[in-house]
Amino acid sequence: MSQLLIVIFSLLGLINTVSNAIIQEGVCDYKISVVPQFNVTAYQGVWYDIESLPSEFQDGACNTATYNLNSAGTALNLQNTQISNGILNFTTGTAQPQVGAAGSAKFDVTIEPPGSTPVPYWVLDTDYETFALVYSCRNNTGTNTRTINSWKLGRKKGPLPNDINIRINDSIEGIESLKNASNQFITRDHSEEACSYFVDFDGPCPTTVTGVADFDVNKFLGTWYEVARYPQTAQTGQCNRAVYTASATTPGVVDVENSQVTDETRLTISGVASATEQPGVLAVNFTIGDGKLFNLY
Ligand SMILES: *[C@@H]1O[C@H](CO)[C@@H](O)[C@H](O)[C@H]1NC(C)=O
Ligand SMILES: *[C@@H]1O[C@H](CO)[C@@H](O)[C@H](O)[C@H]1NC(C)=O
Ligand SMILES: *[C@@H]1O[C@H](CO)[C@@H](O)[C@H](O)[C@H]1NC(C)=O
Ligand SMILES: *[C@@H]1O[C@H](CO)[C@@H](O)[C@H](O)[C@H]1NC(C)=O
Ligand SMILES: *[C@@H]1O[C@H](CO)[C@@H](O)[C@H](O)[C@H]1NC(C)=O
Ligand SMILES: *[C@@H]1O[C@H](CO)[C@@H](O)[C@H](O)[C@H]1NC(C)=O
């Protein structure tokens, strides 16, 4: 009996992590009122995501959005940042006012790469100087459901002032869709720890780093377990290992199989390595889909 419960809870946990965006019954309500005579000039600048509904776009902490009017003054260019797994994730895009109306607080946000589906972005309330309450709703095609997002943005990192939270709660109370999700807002962490990330280094690779002088590739073959790593985007899983074997077909070439576990699945990439003129330095080619990634090791 208790084992069954554990299985059920594990399944629920899994479902929560896989599709964490909020899906509700019914299509989007297009009559929800937004800020009248929206001042896009005053809305520019940096906003911190203080609290937001769970989102498939946001798996990190320290989330920010920066808006700047484009040169024509017709739309906002945007930069979103979040820190995920010790890495700065930086995305850019545009926020285009809907129906081209000046003073519209309804935008269509398109995140790079171009051609991706625009997402509605409605500013429900803002004083431009302290806070903004933003709402987004998409119909899910083929089902009578919608996916919603909402952000409580602040001009500063800390919690919003109490009077602002009361004002925001008043807005949320007036919108059925948000009211139903009001207790699902997640407080986003903007602490120094959550906001620290590993930087990419400037300049070319250092020439002062050298390989093992009398490197013996045959002794190096076999399985290696990763103990620690500098964060990198291609490796977010656990249980990472590398298996090196002498190529059966090409003398002097080492077959490389790197793997990691993500969502209980072991993912593998394969490559081939060969010695270079520098001792202890191998050239490795990985095949990724149709592409190739070349590295020195
Ligand atoms: C919009 O905001 C800008 C910058 O704060 C301000 O200079 C301008 O007067 C505002 N426009 C209106 C119509 O209120
Ligand atoms: C950055 O975030 C976007 C949206 O969540 C995600 O699709 C993308 O994979 C992330 N990129 C990296 C390098 O983590
Ligand atoms: C969502 O569905 C409603 C009702 O069918 C429709 O009025 C609205 O245009 C749809 N919105 C989008 C973005 O597809
Ligand atoms: C606003 O609503 C949230 C969620 O219901 C609640 O936790 C919070 O205490 C409310 N804040 C204020 C200032 O009323
Ligand atoms: C909100 O929740 C109530 C009760 O659970 C439900 O009847 C209603 O359909 C929900 N409304 C929306 C917009 O999801
Ligand atoms: C790796 O790719 C480079 C460039 O395509 C090629 O010159 C080299 O022979 C390849 N190395 C191996 C071991 O296949």
Side-chain angles (χ1 to χ4, degrees), residues 174-191:
I175 297 163
E176 202 198 348
S177 159
L178 275 182
K179 188 178 162 183
N180 269 25
S182 65
N183 58 2
Q184 292 182 65
F185 278 85
I186 299 165
T187 302
R188 303 293 176 178
D189 191 350
H190 289 274
S191 65

PDB file of all heavy atoms in Angstrom, residues 174-191:
ATOM      1  N   GLY A 174     -10.303  40.669  -9.885  1.00  0.00           N
ATOM      2  CA  GLY A 174     -11.285  41.037 -10.910  1.00  0.00           C
ATOM      3  C   GLY A 174     -11.190  40.202 -12.178  1.00  0.00           C
ATOM      4  O   GLY A 174     -11.971  40.403 -13.105  1.00  0.00           O
ATOM      5  N   ILE A 175     -10.214  39.316 -12.252  1.00  0.00           N
ATOM      6  CA  ILE A 175     -10.038  38.515 -13.471  1.00  0.00           C
ATOM      7  C   ILE A 175     -10.097  37.041 -13.082  1.00  0.00           C
ATOM      8  O   ILE A 175      -9.205  36.536 -12.410  1.00  0.00           O
ATOM      9  CB  ILE A 175      -8.690  38.859 -14.146  1.00  0.00           C
ATOM     10  CG1 ILE A 175      -8.716  40.326 -14.576  1.00  0.00           C
ATOM     11  CG2 ILE A 175      -8.416  37.965 -15.335  1.00  0.00           C
ATOM     12  CD1 ILE A 175      -7.379  40.890 -14.868  1.00  0.00           C
ATOM     13  N   GLU A 176     -11.151  36.362 -13.518  1.00  0.00           N
ATOM     14  CA  GLU A 176     -11.410  35.003 -13.033  1.00  0.00           C
ATOM     15  C   GLU A 176     -10.221  34.079 -13.250  1.00  0.00           C
ATOM     16  O   GLU A 176      -9.830  33.325 -12.364  1.00  0.00           O
ATOM     17  CB  GLU A 176     -12.662  34.445 -13.720  1.00  0.00           C
ATOM     18  CG  GLU A 176     -13.286  33.322 -12.930  1.00  0.00           C
ATOM     19  CD  GLU A 176     -14.225  32.470 -13.763  1.00  0.00           C
ATOM     20  OE1 GLU A 176     -14.582  32.868 -14.885  1.00  0.00           O
ATOM     21  OE2 GLU A 176     -14.585  31.391 -13.281  1.00  0.00           O
ATOM     22  N   SER A 177      -9.643  34.202 -14.430  1.00  0.00           N
ATOM     23  CA  SER A 177      -8.535  33.332 -14.789  1.00  0.00           C
ATOM     24  C   SER A 177      -7.331  33.495 -13.842  1.00  0.00           C
ATOM     25  O   SER A 177      -6.719  32.521 -13.416  1.00  0.00           O
ATOM     26  CB  SER A 177      -8.187  33.663 -16.240  1.00  0.00           C
ATOM     27  OG  SER A 177      -6.931  33.286 -16.581  1.00  0.00           O
ATOM     28  N   LEU A 178      -7.034  34.743 -13.493  1.00  0.00           N
ATOM     29  CA  LEU A 178      -5.906  34.994 -12.599  1.00  0.00           C
ATOM     30  C   LEU A 178      -6.259  34.703 -11.144  1.00  0.00           C
ATOM     31  O   LEU A 178      -5.426  34.226 -10.378  1.00  0.00           O
ATOM     32  CB  LEU A 178      -5.455  36.455 -12.713  1.00  0.00           C
ATOM     33  CG  LEU A 178      -4.471  36.768 -13.828  1.00  0.00           C
ATOM     34  CD1 LEU A 178      -4.077  38.230 -13.782  1.00  0.00           C
ATOM     35  CD2 LEU A 178      -3.221  35.899 -13.701  1.00  0.00           C
ATOM     36  N   LYS A 179      -7.514  34.998 -10.807  1.00  0.00           N
ATOM     37  CA  LYS A 179      -7.976  34.748  -9.440  1.00  0.00           C
ATOM     38  C   LYS A 179      -7.805  33.273  -9.094  1.00  0.00           C
ATOM     39  O   LYS A 179      -7.334  32.926  -8.017  1.00  0.00           O
ATOM     40  CB  LYS A 179      -9.454  35.152  -9.363  1.00  0.00           C
ATOM     41  CG  LYS A 179     -10.050  35.149  -7.986  1.00  0.00           C
ATOM     42  CD  LYS A 179     -11.489  35.628  -8.097  1.00  0.00           C
ATOM     43  CE  LYS A 179     -12.287  35.254  -6.870  1.00  0.00           C
ATOM     44  NZ  LYS A 179     -13.688  35.657  -7.022  1.00  0.00           N
ATOM     45  N   ASN A 180      -8.149  32.417 -10.056  1.00  0.00           N
ATOM     46  CA  ASN A 180      -8.023  30.980  -9.825  1.00  0.00           C
ATOM     47  C   ASN A 180      -6.580  30.535  -9.658  1.00  0.00           C
ATOM     48  O   ASN A 180      -6.331  29.476  -9.118  1.00  0.00           O
ATOM     49  CB  ASN A 180      -8.653  30.202 -10.993  1.00  0.00           C
ATOM     50  CG  ASN A 180     -10.114  29.909 -10.737  1.00  0.00           C
ATOM     51  OD1 ASN A 180     -10.755  30.626  -9.985  1.00  0.00           O
ATOM     52  ND2 ASN A 180     -10.624  28.866 -11.346  1.00  0.00           N
ATOM     53  N   ALA A 181      -5.657  31.333 -10.161  1.00  0.00           N
ATOM     54  CA  ALA A 181      -4.244  30.944 -10.097  1.00  0.00           C
ATOM     55  C   ALA A 181      -3.473  31.799  -9.088  1.00  0.00           C
ATOM     56  O   ALA A 181      -2.250  31.717  -9.015  1.00  0.00           O
ATOM     57  CB  ALA A 181      -3.618  31.078 -11.478  1.00  0.00           C
ATOM     58  N   SER A 182      -4.209  32.618  -8.307  1.00  0.00           N
ATOM     59  CA  SER A 182      -3.530  33.632  -7.477  1.00  0.00           C
ATOM     60  C   SER A 182      -2.565  33.038  -6.466  1.00  0.00           C
ATOM     61  O   SER A 182      -1.593  33.675  -6.090  1.00  0.00           O
ATOM     62  CB  SER A 182      -4.553  34.527  -6.785  1.00  0.00           C
ATOM     63  OG  SER A 182      -5.299  33.742  -5.882  1.00  0.00           O
ATOM     64  N   ASN A 183      -2.834  31.792  -6.029  1.00  0.00           N
ATOM     65  CA  ASN A 183      -1.919  31.207  -5.034  1.00  0.00           C
ATOM     66  C   ASN A 183      -0.811  30.375  -5.701  1.00  0.00           C
ATOM     67  O   ASN A 183      -0.088  29.663  -5.031  1.00  0.00           O
ATOM     68  CB  ASN A 183      -2.699  30.385  -4.003  1.00  0.00           C
ATOM     69  CG  ASN A 183      -3.503  29.284  -4.666  1.00  0.00           C
ATOM     70  OD1 ASN A 183      -3.436  29.114  -5.891  1.00  0.00           O
ATOM     71  ND2 ASN A 183      -4.248  28.529  -3.886  1.00  0.00           N
ATOM     72  N   GLN A 184      -0.697  30.488  -7.021  1.00  0.00           N
ATOM     73  CA  GLN A 184       0.342  29.706  -7.710  1.00  0.00           C
ATOM     74  C   GLN A 184       1.523  30.549  -8.174  1.00  0.00           C
ATOM     75  O   GLN A 184       2.408  30.059  -8.880  1.00  0.00           O
ATOM     76  CB  GLN A 184      -0.279  28.952  -8.893  1.00  0.00           C
ATOM     77  CG  GLN A 184      -1.230  27.868  -8.394  1.00  0.00           C
ATOM     78  CD  GLN A 184      -1.816  27.067  -9.533  1.00  0.00           C
ATOM     79  OE1 GLN A 184      -1.097  26.378 -10.241  1.00  0.00           O
ATOM     80  NE2 GLN A 184      -3.119  27.182  -9.723  1.00  0.00           N
ATOM     81  N   PHE A 185       1.520  31.834  -7.801  1.00  0.00           N
ATOM     82  CA  PHE A 185       2.666  32.681  -8.151  1.00  0.00           C
ATOM     83  C   PHE A 185       3.909  32.189  -7.407  1.00  0.00           C
ATOM     84  O   PHE A 185       3.841  31.849  -6.230  1.00  0.00           O
ATOM     85  CB  PHE A 185       2.380  34.146  -7.797  1.00  0.00           C
ATOM     86  CG  PHE A 185       1.561  34.860  -8.835  1.00  0.00           C
ATOM     87  CD1 PHE A 185       0.168  34.783  -8.814  1.00  0.00           C
ATOM     88  CD2 PHE A 185       2.175  35.598  -9.841  1.00  0.00           C
ATOM     89  CE1 PHE A 185      -0.594  35.428  -9.786  1.00  0.00           C
ATOM     90  CE2 PHE A 185       1.423  36.245 -10.805  1.00  0.00           C
ATOM     91  CZ  PHE A 185       0.038  36.159 -10.780  1.00  0.00           C
ATOM     92  N   ILE A 186       5.013  32.169  -8.114  1.00  0.00           N
ATOM     93  CA  ILE A 186       6.290  31.734  -7.548  1.00  0.00           C
ATOM     94  C   ILE A 186       7.134  32.983  -7.293  1.00  0.00           C
ATOM     95  O   ILE A 186       7.262  33.829  -8.183  1.00  0.00           O
ATOM     96  CB  ILE A 186       7.045  30.819  -8.540  1.00  0.00           C
ATOM     97  CG1 ILE A 186       6.229  29.571  -8.845  1.00  0.00           C
ATOM     98  CG2 ILE A 186       8.432  30.465  -8.042  1.00  0.00           C
ATOM     99  CD1 ILE A 186       6.724  28.811 -10.073  1.00  0.00           C
ATOM    100  N   THR A 187       7.689  33.095  -6.094  1.00  0.00           N
ATOM    101  CA  THR A 187       8.598  34.204  -5.811  1.00  0.00           C
ATOM    102  C   THR A 187       9.943  33.897  -6.471  1.00  0.00           C
ATOM    103  O   THR A 187      10.527  32.843  -6.240  1.00  0.00           O
ATOM    104  CB  THR A 187       8.783  34.379  -4.294  1.00  0.00           C
ATOM    105  OG1 THR A 187       7.494  34.601  -3.716  1.00  0.00           O
ATOM    106  CG2 THR A 187       9.683  35.551  -3.980  1.00  0.00           C
ATOM    107  N   ARG A 188      10.391  34.797  -7.336  1.00  0.00           N
ATOM    108  CA  ARG A 188      11.652  34.563  -8.057  1.00  0.00           C
ATOM    109  C   ARG A 188      12.812  35.087  -7.218  1.00  0.00           C
ATOM    110  O   ARG A 188      12.749  36.184  -6.678  1.00  0.00           O
ATOM    111  CB  ARG A 188      11.629  35.256  -9.425  1.00  0.00           C
ATOM    112  CG  ARG A 188      10.464  34.818 -10.313  1.00  0.00           C
ATOM    113  CD  ARG A 188      10.575  33.361 -10.747  1.00  0.00           C
ATOM    114  NE  ARG A 188       9.409  32.934 -11.527  1.00  0.00           N
ATOM    115  CZ  ARG A 188       9.280  31.727 -12.060  1.00  0.00           C
ATOM    116  NH1 ARG A 188      10.224  30.815 -11.897  1.00  0.00           N
ATOM    117  NH2 ARG A 188       8.202  31.413 -12.744  1.00  0.00           N
ATOM    118  N   ASP A 189      13.849  34.285  -7.155  1.00  0.00           N
ATOM    119  CA  ASP A 189      14.993  34.569  -6.292  1.00  0.00           C
ATOM    120  C   ASP A 189      15.941  35.553  -6.987  1.00  0.00           C
ATOM    121  O   ASP A 189      16.427  35.270  -8.087  1.00  0.00           O
ATOM    122  CB  ASP A 189      15.703  33.234  -6.012  1.00  0.00           C
ATOM    123  CG  ASP A 189      16.757  33.342  -4.924  1.00  0.00           C
ATOM    124  OD1 ASP A 189      17.070  34.481  -4.513  1.00  0.00           O
ATOM    125  OD2 ASP A 189      17.250  32.288  -4.489  1.00  0.00           O
ATOM    126  N   HIS A 190      16.185  36.711  -6.351  1.00  0.00           N
ATOM    127  CA  HIS A 190      17.132  37.684  -6.902  1.00  0.00           C
ATOM    128  C   HIS A 190      18.318  37.881  -5.966  1.00  0.00           C
ATOM    129  O   HIS A 190      18.975  38.924  -6.006  1.00  0.00           O
ATOM    130  CB  HIS A 190      16.429  39.017  -7.178  1.00  0.00           C
ATOM    131  CG  HIS A 190      15.481  38.960  -8.339  1.00  0.00           C
ATOM    132  ND1 HIS A 190      15.882  39.150  -9.647  1.00  0.00           N
ATOM    133  CD2 HIS A 190      14.153  38.679  -8.396  1.00  0.00           C
ATOM    134  CE1 HIS A 190      14.841  39.014 -10.451  1.00  0.00           C
ATOM    135  NE2 HIS A 190      13.780  38.720  -9.718  1.00  0.00           N
ATOM    136  N   SER A 191      18.568  36.899  -5.089  1.00  0.00           N
ATOM    137  CA  SER A 191      19.703  37.017  -4.173  1.00  0.00           C
ATOM    138  C   SER A 191      21.003  36.991  -4.973  1.00  0.00           C
ATOM    139  O   SER A 191      21.030  36.534  -6.127  1.00  0.00           O
ATOM    140  CB  SER A 191      19.691  35.863  -3.182  1.00  0.00           C
ATOM    141  OG  SER A 191      19.893  34.645  -3.865  1.00  0.00           O
TER     142      SER A 191
END
